[in-house]
């Protein structure tokens, strides 16, 4: 396990498949960065969004501090958001056309490119933890539907009664969506934006990175629809050689444009910073497809990228004793010291 506060001058030897990668000295600033989804966040929703992302960043950072594991950190941060009904993941997930919750998630470790992905998960509050179990307990990288739920059962997940993840807000959103459709659109399966997909990226003192993304998808999606979040290189990716990224937004577009892979290619091969790459890829995607998305990223230099072409995206990160957060473009509020219990 990498130590959070490793001494200067240490070399970290990280095992890669078939090789050993020597990293620079452990001089990075450990950071946990989260998002709570890109889209049309209403003014009324902002306070709870900010509270939720700040809490998640703090929880992830605490775990990073005490376990030294970037994987533990991104899982803990996403678990926090999955338990928060103000976000579209775990409890609070949006509903498919049949009024059911079907969730996607992926987690990836940049040190060895190990990864776990799950789709069509039901009746568990933490799909990101199921993705991690798939990564660590099976020989596969991506399992969906009943097979994934069998693993959840075998791994001792708390299987909730059907419907336990459904909130009143999700029921109303589905009804509003159905009311807004005409018959032609329904047949085409047109989907409706539902901000609140969640994600986290982290870097430790030695430059090890990880990424995690979890979502209920889109309100009114067809049953069985899978978005970008669990697709490696689509909505989630981590590699110590380039960085870690979690995307949010219109999944059908993000996966077609291979947003996260494009972004990391610019970082690794084009000498872009995470921020420069995020701006370029998302602006190009939005121009080409007329759809929006958001990205959080940490690159292999430890620099952060936070960008969205949607109206808003809630995000927060903790680095040292500072927690930065925002929702609107250009916003960067800072809190210092111990966590607040209320947003004042
Ligand atoms: N970006 C989340 C989804 O489209 O499912």
């Amino acid at each position: 396990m990498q130590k959070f506060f490793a001494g200067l001058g240490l070399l970290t030897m990280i095992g890669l498949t078939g090789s050993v990668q020597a990293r620079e000295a452990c001089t990075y600033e450990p950071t946990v960065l989260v998002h709570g989804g890109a889209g049309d966040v209403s003014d009324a929703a902002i306070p709870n969004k900010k509270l939720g992302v700040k809490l998640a960043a703090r929880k992830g950072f605490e775990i990073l501090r005490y376990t030294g594991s970037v994987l533990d950190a991104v899982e803990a941060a996403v678990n926090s958001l999955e338990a928060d009904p103000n976000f579209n993941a775990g409890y609070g997930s949006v509903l498919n056309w049949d009024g059911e919750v079907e969730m996607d998630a992926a987690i990836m470790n940049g040190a060895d490119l190990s990864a776990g992905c799950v789709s069509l998960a039901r009746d568990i509050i933490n799909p990101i933890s199921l993705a991690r179990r798939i990564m660590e307990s099976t020989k596969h990288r991506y399992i969906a539907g009943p097979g994934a739920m069998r693993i959840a059962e075998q791994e001792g997940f708390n299987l909730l009664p059907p419907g336990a993840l459904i909130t009143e807000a999700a029921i109303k959103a589905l009804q509003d969506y159905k009311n807004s459709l005409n018959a032609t659109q329904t047949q085409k399966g047109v989907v409706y934006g539902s901000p609140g997909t969640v994600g986290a990226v982290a870097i430790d003192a030695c430059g090890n990175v990880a990424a995690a993304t979890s979502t209920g998808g889109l309100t009114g999606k067809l049953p069985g629809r899978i978005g970008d979040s669990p697709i490696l290189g689509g909505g989630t990716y981590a590699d110590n050689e380039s960085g870690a990224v979690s995307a949010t937004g219109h999944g059908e577009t993000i996966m077609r444009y291979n947003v996260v892979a494009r972004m990391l290619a610019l970082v690794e091969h084009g000498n872009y910073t995470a921020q420069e790459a995020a701006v370029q890829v998302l602006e190009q995607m939005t121009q080409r497809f007329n759809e929006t998305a958001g990205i959080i990223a940490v690159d292999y230099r430890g620099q952060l990228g936070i960008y969205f072409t949607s109206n808003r995206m809630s995000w927060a990160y903790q680095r040292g004793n500072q927690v930065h957060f925002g929702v609107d473009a250009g916003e960067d509020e800072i809190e210092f010291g111990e966590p607040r219990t209320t947003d004042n």
Side-chain angles (χ1 to χ4, degrees):
M1 182 181 295
Q2 307 300 331
K3 288 294 174 196
F4 187 85
F5 292 113
L8 295 182
L10 280 180
L11 275 182
T12 307
M13 306 301 287
I14 299 162
L16 290 176
T17 309
S19 68
V20 175
Q21 180 71 28
R23 293 205 63 81
E24 303 280 321
C26 292
T27 58
Y28 296 83
E29 286 191 85
T31 306
V32 177
L33 166 61
V34 309
H35 71 75
D40 293 327
V41 180
S42 69
D43 290 348
I46 286 178
N48 282 335
K49 295 279 188 188
K50 285 183 173 175
L51 272 178
V53 290
K54 284 187 291 181
L55 181 63
R58 284 193 158 111
K59 283 186 175 176
F61 192 80
E62 280 300 292
I63 293 294
L64 182 57
R65 187 197 300 274
Y66 288 112
T67 74
S69 162
V70 285
L71 265 185
D72 289 350
V74 294
E75 182 183 1
V78 168
N79 282 166
S80 177
L81 294 161
E82 288 173 329
D84 186 334
N86 295 294
F87 298 92
N88 173 19
Y91 181 58
S93 286
V94 300
L95 306 181
N96 68 16
W97 184 258
D98 292 345
E100 296 174 330
V101 168
E102 292 181 322
M103 301 170 288
D104 301 332
I107 191 165
M108 188 161 188
N109 184 0
D112 61 2
L113 307 190
S114 56
C117 312
V118 64
S119 284
L120 310 178
R122 293 169 175 265
D123 305 327
I124 57 169
I125 202 160
N126 294 130
I128 201 67
S129 298
L130 180 54
R132 186 163 180 187
R133 292 273 77 73
I134 287 168
M135 175 176 89
E136 293 176 342
S137 305
T138 81
K139 62 184 178 185
H140 304 300
R141 300 284 66 86
Y142 194 161
I143 300 182
M149 298 323 298
R150 189 184 303 173
I151 291 166
E153 200 173 348
Q154 289 165 353
E155 294 287 324
F157 279 67
N158 185 19
L159 298 183
L160 303 169
L165 297 174
I166 297 176
T167 61
E168 288 300 319
I171 292 170
K172 182 176 182 315
L174 179 61
Q175 198 53 56
D176 289 348
Y177 167 64
K178 289 188 173 182
N179 291 343
S180 73
L181 290 177
N182 61 41
T184 309
Q185 286 174 317
T186 306
Q187 283 159 13
K188 285 181 184 168
V190 171
V191 288
Y192 180 71
S194 306
T197 290
V198 306
V201 297
I203 187 166
D204 70 8
C206 300
N208 296 296
V209 299
T213 312
S214 182
T215 187
L218 300 174
T219 292
K221 65 186 181 180
L222 298 178
R225 177 266 189 189
I226 294 168
D228 61 297
S229 304
I231 297 177
L232 303 178
T236 307
Y237 204 77
D239 182 351
N240 284 3
E241 298 302 298
S242 51
V245 189
S246 172
T248 164
H250 189 246
E252 281 69 11
T253 304
I254 295 169
M255 70 170 81
R256 279 192 297 160
Y257 204 52
N258 222 0
V259 160
V260 166
R262 276 180 197 261
M263 213 206 105
L264 288 176
L266 291 177
V267 171
E268 189 172 358
H269 305 297
N271 205 30
Y272 284 57
T273 65
Q275 185 66 20
E276 290 167 347
V279 171
Q280 174 149 322
V281 171
L282 289 190
E283 288 295 340
Q284 285 176 341
M285 186 205 88
T286 295
Q287 194 172 22
R288 192 156 167 189
F289 294 88
N290 198 28
E291 292 286 355
T292 62
I295 275 178
I296 57 166
V298 58
D299 66 31
Y300 68 93
R301 310 173 193 90
Q303 295 178 333
L304 304 181
I306 303 165
Y307 192 69
F308 48 96
T309 52
S310 51
N311 286 339
R312 285 172 162 157
M313 178 180 80
S314 54
W315 60 269
Y317 70 86
Q318 181 161 3
R319 174 173 273 179
N321 73 343
Q322 291 188 4
V323 176
H324 293 245
F325 60 99
V327 171
D328 286 308
E331 188 180 7
D332 184 0
E333 292 187 64
I334 306 175
E335 285 181 0
F336 296 87
E338 292 303 307
R340 293 178 183 177
T341 53
T342 57
D343 196 30
N344 49 21

